[in-house]
Amino acid sequence: MLLLLLVLLLPLCWAVEVKRPRGVPLTNHHFYDETKPFTCLDGSATIPFDQVNDDYCDCKDGSDEPGTAACPNGSFHCTNAGYKPLYIPSSRVNDGVCDCCDGTDEYNSGVVCENTCKEKGQKERESLQQMAEVTREGFRLKKILIEDWKKAREEKQRKLTELQAGRKSLEDQVEALRALKEEAEKPEKEAKEQHRKLWEEQQAAAKAQHEQALAADAFRELDDDMDGMVSVAELQTHPELDTDGDGALSEGEAQALLSGGAPTDADSFYDRVWAAIRDKYRPEGLPMDQPAPLAPEVMEPVEEQPPPPSPATEEDEEGEEELDEEEEEEDEEDAEVHGEQPKPASTPEEDRMPPYDEQTQAFIDAAQEARTKFEEAERSLKDMEESIRNLEQEISIDFGPQGEFAYLYSQCYELSTNEYVYRLCPFKLVSQKPKLGGSPTNLGTWGSWAGPEHDKFSAMRYEQGTGCWQGPNRSTTVRLSCGKETMVTSTTEPSRCEYLMELMTPAACPEPPPDLPSDGDHDEL
């Protein structure tokens, strides 16, 4: 019978609420014993218990008025059963505004507050359940990312070891091919210089021959009496040779040109006179305003061969031949109409260095083959060295405690706003680009992890971006949050030239706590 009575009384005991003054949290109820005087929580005074919540502030810390608005520094505790407890300033007690979802802060204001704690608690639980589901799924993905990086890192390390081992062999190969190239280029250089020298000598001889021919023609024209000598009087028949600018060649000027005035023969004319008069001399019958014929210039040798013509069809060749023939006939007709003889076709090949002889060309081909092999090997070595640098850099980056952030290294994520497109390339840089066009602006390059000491991998720091006008270099802090997907969710500029970006990623999801058994009808948070 006694046991049955205890079983019946236990639920009643559990349902009894711990008695405490209004506005006091359950954790502080033992300080408020109505059978004893009350001591202020800061120890500043001790007062009779009936002065607690008497709407008069006795304690400096306001702890004697937890349920009234008497103390300006006091606080009121909302129990909010079914939802989250809440502290509000004492000044909000009985102010006509429902601050506590259970309405306990407006017990004497005349305002009737509806208890909304149950509904808020239900919404909060649903939100927490959704967050817990995101955390569970995100953490599942995080474990996959960790495993993927573990395998990828081993593969990258293996590849790096292979490249480092093969680099020495390729370096030796490049040096050997360099020596072969330099050896092959020596006879090539000598043969090409010899070929150039011979061609230049031929050009100089042709120029001298042409110059002598011009001088001989001028001598014959000046030798009016055909006695084989050019005299002062004969030279004066060409006033264009005037040296003082008065339009006439005086006897004294002619004597100076003839180096004393004595008649000169053809050889002396070429050696002593022709160089002084060739630029001014005009052949007889040539208009005065027309320039005298010039000697051909020694052209610089052109070694490059013209590109081979593109293959043409038989129809194209026939059409071009017919067109060329028609143009030649029209040119000849025009010349006959104007009383001119057809001009001989120009021969630019005469001004070009002739093709190399067979032996020189063989030296060139051998040197070119050696150069090609060397350049290919050197390019392979540069590619290998770049791959080694990239692998060493990637392996050395701190991708988190277990490498969970490594997958971000090769990715970039964008967020569009009304004005800009923000782009985050993790572990590299952050930039913004105007939507209406323009160059991107660097908002910072990878610096380091920047989270607090207890949560280092919760934020990234990007520094030394493009400088602001009369301000510091731009920088960006990227805060990471847990999510099933990877995306930039927001970008702001809290202060000038300092940006804040939010990145959601499974790699930031913590390990969720184990699922607890259901509490049945218990609905408090």
Side-chain angles (χ1 to χ4, degrees):
M1 187 65 179
L2 180 60
L3 179 60
L4 178 61
L5 182 60
L6 289 174
V7 170
L8 294 174
L9 290 176
L10 276 175
L12 296 177
C13 296
W14 290 337
V16 173
E17 183 179 356
V18 176
K19 189 174 181 180
R20 60 189 187 277
R22 189 188 303 275
V24 175
L26 184 61
T27 54
N28 287 351
H29 80 278
H30 55 283
F31 294 117
Y32 296 84
D33 186 350
E34 62 182 6
T35 63
K36 301 177 182 178
F38 175 74
T39 300
C40 302
L41 298 185
D42 63 357
S44 59
T46 298
I47 59 175
F49 193 83
D50 58 4
Q51 292 183 17
V52 174
N53 280 342
D54 65 347
D55 206 21
Y56 184 83
C57 192
D58 298 292
C59 298
K60 293 180 179 179
D61 61 358
S63 57
D64 64 313
E65 298 297 320
T68 72
C71 296
N73 58 340
S75 60
F76 180 87
H77 180 264
C78 306
T79 303
N80 290 345
Y83 188 53
K84 295 182 291 186
L86 176 68
Y87 281 98
I88 63 172
S90 295
S91 60
R92 297 184 184 179
V93 175
N94 291 323
D95 63 350
V97 178
C98 301
D99 298 292
C100 303
C101 66
D102 59 6
T104 53
D105 60 313
E106 300 299 319
Y107 62 89
N108 195 30
S109 67
V111 175
V112 178
C113 296
E114 181 181 359
N115 190 330
T116 59
C117 292
K118 186 175 182 181
E119 291 78 3
K120 286 190 173 184
Q122 181 63 28
K123 291 181 181 179
E124 184 74 9
R125 279 188 292 275
E126 291 174 357
S127 176
L128 291 174
Q129 288 172 357
Q130 292 176 358
M131 291 174 59
E133 174 59 29
V134 168
T135 302
R136 282 193 294 269
E137 177 62 17
F139 186 72
R140 184 187 70 81
L141 296 174
K142 178 179 180 179
K143 290 192 292 185
I144 295 175
L145 294 173
I146 292 172
E147 190 63 27
D148 288 346
W149 171 241
K150 181 179 178 182
K151 296 177 181 178
R153 194 178 192 283
E154 291 175 354
E155 175 62 22
K156 292 178 186 295
Q157 187 63 58
R158 182 191 63 78
K159 186 176 180 180
L160 176 61
T161 303
E162 291 179 356
L163 290 173
Q164 290 172 334
R167 177 166 55 184
K168 182 63 170 65
S169 174
L170 189 53
E171 288 174 343
D172 293 342
Q173 181 182 352
V174 168
E175 290 306 313
L177 290 173
R178 187 196 304 276
L180 291 175
K181 176 184 76 74
E182 293 174 352
E183 189 65 26
E185 286 176 339
K186 290 178 181 178
E188 176 200 35
K189 181 179 179 181
E190 293 175 358
K192 290 172 70 175
E193 287 180 350
Q194 181 64 29
H195 183 84
R196 177 193 292 268
K197 182 179 179 182
L198 179 60
W199 182 76
E200 289 176 348
E201 289 175 351
Q202 293 172 349
Q203 288 287 91
K207 179 181 179 182
Q209 184 178 1
H210 180 75
E211 195 71 24
Q212 288 177 348
L214 291 176
D217 290 342
F219 183 85
R220 284 192 294 271
E221 287 186 356
L222 288 169
D223 186 12
D224 293 332
D225 56 9
M226 302 177 63
D227 62 351
M229 304 289 284
V230 172
S231 64
V232 170
E234 290 171 331
L235 201 61
Q236 285 184 279
T237 61
H238 282 260
E240 75 273 11
L241 301 180
D242 170 40
T243 58
D244 60 5
D246 61 358
L249 183 65
S250 66
E251 182 178 354
E253 291 173 331
Q255 290 175 350
L257 291 174
L258 292 176
S259 302
T264 182
D265 60 12
D267 292 338
S268 297
F269 179 82
Y270 178 73
D271 293 337
R272 295 183 300 173
V273 180
W274 176 243
I277 68 172
R278 71 175 304 280
D279 293 335
K280 295 182 179 181
Y281 180 77
R282 297 290 182 273
E284 295 178 359
L286 188 68
M288 295 300 291
D289 58 348
Q290 183 173 344
L294 299 177
E297 296 182 0
V298 177
M299 302 295 294
E300 285 294 326
V302 181
E303 300 177 7
E304 294 78 14
Q305 299 297 325
S310 58
T313 62
E314 293 180 358
E315 295 178 358
D316 292 337
E317 292 176 353
E318 292 175 358
E320 290 175 357
E321 290 175 359
E322 293 175 358
L323 183 60
D324 292 341
E325 291 174 358
E326 292 175 359
E327 290 177 351
E328 289 176 0
E329 292 174 357
E330 291 175 359
D331 292 340
E332 291 175 359
E333 291 174 358
D334 291 341
E336 291 174 359
V337 169
H338 293 84
E340 298 176 358
Q341 295 298 322
K343 296 180 180 179
S346 60
T347 57
E349 290 79 6
E350 296 177 358
D351 297 332
R352 299 177 65 87
M353 187 166 63
Y356 294 113
D357 59 80
E358 185 176 349
Q359 184 178 14
T360 301
Q361 190 61 50
F363 286 141
I364 294 173
D365 293 341
Q368 184 57 45
E369 182 180 1
R371 278 191 293 269
T372 300
K373 291 181 179 179
F374 167 74
E375 290 167 359
E376 290 176 352
E378 189 177 44
R379 187 160 47 248
S380 297
L381 178 59
K382 289 180 179 178
D383 292 343
M384 176 183 285
E385 290 174 340
E386 183 178 1
S387 298
I388 290 175
R389 284 193 301 271
N390 291 339
L391 286 170
E392 289 176 340
Q393 180 182 8
E394 185 173 356
I395 291 174
S396 67
I397 294 176
D398 185 357
F399 288 129
Q402 297 176 283
E404 57 267 38
F405 296 100
Y407 81 103
L408 298 171
Y409 182 72
S410 58
Q411 306 295 325
C412 290
Y413 305 92
E414 291 186 349
L415 176 68
S416 294
T417 63
N418 293 334
E419 297 183 58
Y420 299 101
V421 176
Y422 291 90
R423 183 177 177 86
L424 167 65
C425 298
F427 303 103
K428 294 176 184 176
L429 59 86
V430 183
S431 63
Q432 71 173 13
K433 186 176 182 179
K435 266 192 168 181
L436 300 180
S439 301
T441 301
N442 186 347
L443 302 186
T445 55
W446 168 248
S448 62
W449 292 101
E453 186 175 351
H454 68 280
D455 194 11
K456 171 184 175 182
F457 300 100
S458 63
M460 295 173 160
R461 183 70 176 170
Y462 294 80
E463 302 169 322
Q464 297 302 316
T466 303
C468 286
W469 173 252
Q470 294 184 343
N473 290 83
R474 289 173 171 85
S475 61
T476 302
T477 298
V478 179
R479 290 197 306 214
L480 283 69
S481 61
C482 173
K484 294 187 289 185
E485 299 179 3
T486 304
M487 65 175 66
V488 176
T489 57
S490 69
T491 301
T492 56
E493 189 177 0
S495 57
R496 184 169 179 257
C497 305
E498 294 184 2
Y499 298 82
L500 177 63
M501 186 174 283
E502 302 283 347
L503 176 67
M504 186 170 65
T505 168
C509 294
E511 182 175 4
D515 293 333
L516 297 176
S518 176
D519 288 340
D521 296 334
H522 183 69
D523 59 358
E524 281 85 358
L525 292 175

